[in-house]
C-alpha cells in the first residue's frame, strides 16, 4: 500500500525500576538493546526510525515501570527466530523485564500463517459434527512397551475419546522405539474406530532431534496420523512453524519448558508466549495446565489464556485451548461451563485411576457429547 | 559392561516449600512429574527403578527445600530434546523449582560429543600459536548495508581482532540479506588477512528458520567461514548439536532468551544451562555477559560459569568462555587477570565509541598478545 508506513510491532514491557534511571531512559535502553545494540552515540541517524525500536510510551506504574516499544516489522526479517530475538533475546538477561502484551501487525501474523485447523478443523479431523469440546486421553507412562501402550490407546478410543495423545515424554526410548510404538498405537486406534464407527485420532509425539524429525514425521504419516504433538520450546518455535506449514498435519503444542518464562516480574506472559507466539507459529491446539490441577495456574489465568488463543489476530484461525495438567474427569462438566465449547480437555491420570479406564472414558465422553454451543459462556 | 547398572543423571533441584508437604514428598512429586506423569498408584512396580526418577536425597535448607533426583540415562533416549524435557519440561510450569547442578554420566556426555574445537581449537582456527585470550569484535548495528558491514569487518581484522562476529540480531533482513552480507564480510576479512598476514575469522550468525538453516550454512561455507554464531535457545538446543556435529564448523553459542531461565528461585542455573548443556551440545565458545557491563552478572557468577565451562566433563573438550555484553576495551587487561588465558573477549560498543575503531582494536590486540599461560590464575 503506497504511502503508508508499515505497521509496527508494539511490545508492552514491564520493567523493574532502575536506580538513577527513569522509565523513559530504561525504555530507550530496551529499544536499543533489542535492535542496534551499540551505544546511542554510535547509532547512525538514518537507522533511528526504521531499525532502532521507538519508545511509544514510558511511565511509572506502582512500583514498576511500563513501556511500549515498537519495532519496524522489517527488523524481524519475516522469521520467527529473529522475531523472538528482537522481542526478548538480550533483555531476558537483564533483571525484571517482562513482556505483558504485544500488538501485532496483521500482515506479520498473516505471513506466518497461524493454525491450519483451529478448533473447527480439529473437530472435523475427529469426526465431530456438533460444536462441542473435545476429549483427549494420554498414553503413558513411559517405560511401557508398544503393545501395552497400544492396548491403552485402544481402550481410550473404544471408550469414546476424541483424541489419544502420546505423553510428551514418549520419544524414542528403548522400551518403546518411536516407529514401533507409533505404528502399533495408530493401528490399535484404527481398529477401535473400525469396531465403534468412531473417528478417534491418535496423536504421536514427534518432538525429536533436528536430524530425526523428518523421519519421524514420515513414520507418523505412514501410520495414518494426521495430528502430531510437539514441544515448541524444546525444539525451537520455528520447528513448530515448519511442521505446521510443510508437513500437512495438525499440531498440538505442548508447553514443556514454557514455565521458565512465567516468572511474576520477568519473562513473557502466557498470553503472549503460548497465546500469540504458539498460535502464530501454527499450533492448532495449545496445551496448558488447568486450574485446580498439579500446576499453579488459577482460573483467571486460564480464562485469560483461553481468550487470548481465540481472539481476533491478523485473520488467522484461533488455536484450540487444550487444558491439562491434572484435569479431574468428574469435573469436566464444570469446566465446560467456565470455558465453553472451544476447549479440549486432556485427561490423563484421572482416567488411569479409574477401576475401568474404558468406561471412565465413556462417561467423560457422554459429558462433552451433551454440550453444544448454545450453552457457551 | 555386564553386571553394572548404568550411571544415572543426578539432578540437584531447589524447590520453594509447599504447605502441607515435605521435602521428600515434593521430591517424589518432581521425580514422577518428569517421568511417569501419572498418579503414584498407577505406576507399574516394574517401572519404579528404571523409569521413574529416584529421590536420592531431600531436605530443608534454610527457607527452601533441596532434593537430588536421579534419572536412568535411558529416560533421555540419547536425545537432547528429551533430555531437556526430563530435566525441566513440566516442572518449569510449577512455582519455584530450580536446577542448581547436574551430575552427568560420562557416557551420556560423551555420546553427545561436546565441542569440536574448544579453546585450543579456536585458537588454532584463528592462527594463534600461544595460549592467550582471544579478541572478538562485533559487526553491528543491524540496518547497515553489506558494504558498510564489510567495511567495519575489514577495519577490525586489520586492527588485529582474532574474530569478527555478526551481531546475533543480523539475520536476513532486507537491509543486508544473509548471502550478500556474509559473502561481502567474509571477503573483506580475507582481504585484510592477505594484507596483514593474519588469520582473523569472520563468524556469521546462522540463527535461522529450520527450513533456511542448511542453505545459510552452505552459503557460509562457500564464503570460506569455518566458525558460525548460533542462538541455541532461539532455534532449539539440538540445532546447535546438529550444526556442531554435522556441519564441520566451530560454533559460538549466543545466550539470547537464556535469561528467562535465570530467575533466583526458578529456572536452570547458568552453570547448567550455558555451562553444561550448551557445552554438551557442542558449543566451542559460550557467550555470556561480563560483570560491569549492561547485564546484572556479577564477577562471582562470571567466574563460576567460566569454571563450569572448563571443568572435566565426560571426557569432552572445554568450551571457551566468551565474555561480552558491554566489555570495556580498556579494562580487558584487568579481566585477563580475573579469568586467565582461556577466555574470549567480545568487544563491541567500546570499539565503536573509539574515534578510530581500527587503532582501538590494535591497542586491545596488543594487550592480549602480551599474555600467555604463565600468568593464569
Amino acid at each position: 500500500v503506497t504511502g503508508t508506513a508499515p505497521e509496527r510491532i508494539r511490545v508492552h514491557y514491564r520493567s523493574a525500576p532502575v536506580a538513577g534511571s527513569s522509565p523513559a531512559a530504561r525504555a530507550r535502553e530496551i529499544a536499543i538493546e533489542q535492535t542496534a545494540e551499540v551505544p546511542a552515540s554510535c547509532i547512525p541517524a538514518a537507522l533511528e526510525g526504521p531499525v532502532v525500536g521507538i519508545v511509544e510510551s514510558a511511565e511509572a506504574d506502582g512500583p514498576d515501570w511500563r513501556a511500549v516499544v515498537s519495532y519496524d516489522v522489517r527488523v524481524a526479517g519475516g522469521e520467527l527466530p529473529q522475531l523472538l530475538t528482537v522481542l526478548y533475546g538480550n533483555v531476558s538477561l537483564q533483571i525484571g523485564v517482562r513482556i505483558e502484551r504485544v500488538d501485532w501487525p496483521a500482515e506479520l501474523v498473516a505471513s506466518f500463517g497461524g493454525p491450519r485447523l483451529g478448533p473447527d478443523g480439529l473437530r472435523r479431523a475427529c469426526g465431530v459434527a456438533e460444536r462441542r469440546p473435545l476429549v483427549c486421553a494420554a498414553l503413558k507412562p513411559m517405560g511401557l512397551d508398544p503393545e501395552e501402550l497400544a492396548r491403552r490407546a485402544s481402550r481410550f478410543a473404544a471408550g469414546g475419546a476424541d483424541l489419544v495423545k502420546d505423553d510428551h515424554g514418549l520419544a524414542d526410548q528403548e522400551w518403546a522405539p518411536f516407529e514401533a510404538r507409533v505404528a502399533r498405537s495408530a493401528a490399535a486406534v484404527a481398529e477401535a474406530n473400525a469396531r465403534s464407527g468412531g473417528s478417534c485420532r491418535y496423536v504421536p509425539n514427534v518432538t525429536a532431534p533436528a536430524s530425526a524429525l523428518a523421519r519421524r514425521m514420515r513414520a507418523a504419516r505412514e501410520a495414518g496420523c494426521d495430528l502430531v504433538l510437539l514441544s515448541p520450546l524444546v525444539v525451537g518455535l520455528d520447528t513448530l512453524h515448519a511442521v505446521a506449514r510443510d508437513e500437512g498435519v495438525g499440531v498440538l503444542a505442548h508447553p514443556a519448558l514454557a514455565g521458565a518464562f512465567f516468572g511474576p516480574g520477568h519473562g513473557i506472559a502466557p498470553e503472549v508466549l503460548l497465546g500469540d507466539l504458539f498460535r502464530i507459529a501454527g499450533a492448532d491446539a495449545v496445551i496448558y495446565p488447568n486450574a485446580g490441577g498439579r500446576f499453579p495456574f488459577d482460573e483467571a489465568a486460564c480464562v485469560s489464556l483461553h481468550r487470548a488463543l481465540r481472539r481476533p489476530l491478523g485473520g488467522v484461525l484461533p488455536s484450540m485451548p487444550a487444558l491439562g495438567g491434572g484435569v479431574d474427569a468428574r469435573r469436566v462438566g464444570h469446566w465446560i461451563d467456565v470455558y465453553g465449547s472451544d476447549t479440549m480437555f486432556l485427561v490423563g491420570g484421572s482416567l488411569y485411576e479409574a477401576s475401568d479406564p474404558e468406561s471412565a472414558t465413556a462417561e467423560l465422553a457422554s459429558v462433552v457429547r451433551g454440550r453444544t454451543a448454545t450453552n457457551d459462556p
Side-chain angles (χ1 to χ4, degrees), chain A:
Chain A
V1 184
T2 316
T4 59
E7 278 189 85
R8 299 176 65 84
I9 308 165
R10 291 166 48 92
V11 184
H12 298 244
Y13 293 101
R14 179 171 291 270
S15 158
V18 177
S21 185
S22 69
R26 181 75 189 103
R28 168 78 169 155
E29 280 172 8
I30 292 172
I32 293 176
E33 186 67 54
Q34 297 304 97
T35 52
E37 213 199 323
V38 290
S41 62
C42 302
I43 300 174
L47 304 188
E48 281 288 356
V51 173
V52 180
I54 293 176
V55 177
E56 304 279 351
S57 66
E59 68 219 340
D61 178 32
D64 286 339
W65 292 350
R66 291 195 304 177
V68 176
V69 177
S70 73
Y71 303 102
D72 191 304
V73 289
R74 291 173 293 176
V75 168
E79 303 184 338
L80 282 174
Q82 174 56 15
L83 178 62
L84 284 177
T85 297
V86 70
L87 291 176
Y88 201 61
N90 265 12
V91 291
S92 80
L93 293 154
Q94 297 182 336
I95 287 179
V97 183
R98 184 170 191 261
I99 297 180
E100 310 229 297
R101 200 179 100 201
V102 177
D103 306 324
W104 300 98
E107 318 90 80
L108 182 72
V109 172
S111 73
F112 290 117
R116 170 191 302 270
L117 300 173
D120 291 335
L122 282 172
R123 278 188 284 255
R124 272 195 306 274
C126 300
V128 173
E130 73 266 59
R131 181 159 174 262
R132 63 156 173 87
L134 298 175
V135 166
C136 179
L139 285 187
K140 46 189 176 179
M142 74 165 80
L144 300 178
D145 63 23
E147 282 310 307
E148 176 57 24
L149 289 168
R151 219 172 349 252
R152 292 176 177 218
S154 175
R155 274 188 219 125
F156 291 131
D162 300 301
L163 309 97
V164 178
K165 68 173 258 299
D166 280 348
D167 188 40
H168 71 292
L170 295 183
D172 190 39
Q173 293 99 336
E174 64 179 62
W175 308 294
F178 182 86
E179 299 200 9
R181 69 178 181 75
V182 167
R184 197 64 206 85
S185 290
V189 170
E191 287 156 24
N193 284 339
R195 282 193 301 273
S196 69
S199 297
C200 176
R201 310 318 296 160
Y202 164 60
V203 186
N205 173 35
V206 298
T207 306
S211 58
L213 180 62
R215 201 164 56 242
R216 292 200 197 155
M217 281 303 315
R218 197 163 49 237
R221 270 195 310 260
E222 281 168 9
C225 302
D226 48 15
L227 302 175
V228 298
L229 177 76
L230 188 76
S231 300
L233 294 175
V234 172
V235 292
L237 185 67
D238 186 75
T239 298
L240 163 61
H241 187 231
V243 169
R245 192 194 48 193
D246 301 334
E247 298 282 354
V249 295
V251 187
L252 280 60
H254 190 281
L257 295 186
F261 291 83
F262 298 160
H266 191 67
I268 303 178
E271 290 84 350
V272 177
L273 184 62
L274 303 183
D276 294 346
L277 286 166
F278 276 29
R279 178 179 172 193
I280 289 171
D284 295 293
V286 173
I287 299 171
Y288 63 99
N290 192 24
R294 304 189 310 278
F295 297 89
F297 280 59
D298 63 20
E299 191 173 309
C302 290
V303 166
S304 172
L305 182 48
H306 199 283
R307 201 168 285 144
L309 286 162
R310 298 173 304 119
R311 73 178 169 109
L313 180 66
V316 303
L317 292 179
S319 295
M320 181 79 143
L323 288 130
V327 171
D328 183 341
R330 292 161 302 188
R331 296 270 291 160
V332 163
H334 162 73
W335 292 119
I336 296 174
D337 291 334
V338 174
Y339 301 121
S341 304
D342 278 347
T343 310
M344 184 186 297
F345 292 100
L346 306 191
V347 188
S350 173
L351 296 177
Y352 285 114
E353 282 181 312
S355 55
D356 176 358
E358 182 173 328
S359 58
T361 307
E363 255 176 73
L364 176 55
S366 75
V367 171
V368 300
R369 293 226 158 79
R371 305 296 282 263
T372 67
T374 55
N375 58 357
D376 260 344

